[in-house]
Amino acid sequence: MPASQNRDKPRGNNYVLVILDSCRYDSFVAAKPKAMKKLGKLEARWSYASWTSPSHYNFLIGLMPHSSPKHVYASEYYKKDFLRFNERLGLQDIEFKSLVPQLYLPAFLKNSLGYRTHARVSLPVLNPKTILNNGFDSYKLMDKHNDMRAMVKELEFPEDRPSFHLLNVGETHYPYALPDEPPDQWPRISGVHGVFKHLDDEVVGGKLLTRKEKFFDNQKLEELRQRQITAVKYLDRVVEELFDLVPKNTYITITADHGELFGEEGFFGHGPVQHNKVFEVPFLEGKIR
Ligand SMILES: [Zn+2]
């Protein structure tokens, strides 16, 4: 087709951003995912925030987890890191100021680049009534908080315009349950449902336990850590299905919104926690073919 006939057709790669909620870097490594590693080199990066809402806001203004570089100005680092969107989208001339003044990636993709924009979220704190739902053609809180496969089945990539899909995946979030595990068999840990519960756990739902239980039950915490590793292993198979489904010109980023603490230095969970393991997240991206 002559270039003149193609001038107004939106260009660019499809872009899929997969966020494994609460997935700790070392849980990801321990799971030895084979499919996900096909995307490229696994990096340990640092989340800008320690819990779900602010972290997703950062993703949606285009700030991926950072590498905490030394001897550079922070402002120079994020401007440079933002240039990676040229590779992700298969375009040129995108820079951080392209997002000015709204500073919101979905709106920029939709309004300036002609993308179709979709979000599928697992955690109720990200529900469609929140401020995050801006610039999306569709934005849905999934029926179950832990079923990435249900999201993958809904993905569409029409050929007339590129698509952006944000997938917030909940299997790696407490209680690290796979979709076929009955809720009455999910683990219960007293601290999570009492004083130490986080906002997103509260809305995911968990009964308040009244019985007295020792909070730092190391065996139970280790079981929880193993459950997160098992969740990553399971998700690796779902990601393989995602890879089979996406068109050729699709760029995929897989990362996490924050980590999780499993008893280290007296912490469990994420959110009001200041610890390296709550910020350290896996990061890998690329084209699958
Ligand atoms: Zn989260």
Side-chain angles (χ1 to χ4, degrees), residues 146-197:
N146 59 342
D147 195 357
M148 181 185 178
R149 184 170 278 124
M151 296 180 186
V152 170
K153 284 181 179 162
E154 290 186 6
L155 298 187
E156 290 183 358
F157 298 88
E159 285 182 12
D160 62 332
R161 287 198 267 154
S163 298
F164 166 61
H165 292 283
L166 167 74
L167 307 182
N168 162 255
V169 173
E171 281 92 330
T172 42
H173 188 282
Y174 176 87
Y176 328 101
L178 303 189
D180 61 354
E181 185 179 17
D184 62 2
Q185 290 177 28
W186 293 355
R188 300 282 176 210
I189 186 161
S190 60
V192 175
H193 303 294
V195 177
F196 292 92
K197 72 189 170 199

Side-chain angles (χ1 to χ4, degrees), residues 21-22 51-52 56 173 200 257-258 270:
D21 208 297
S22 314
W51 80 282
T52 309
H56 279 74
H173 188 282
D200 46 348
D257 56 344
H258 49 76
H270 58 266

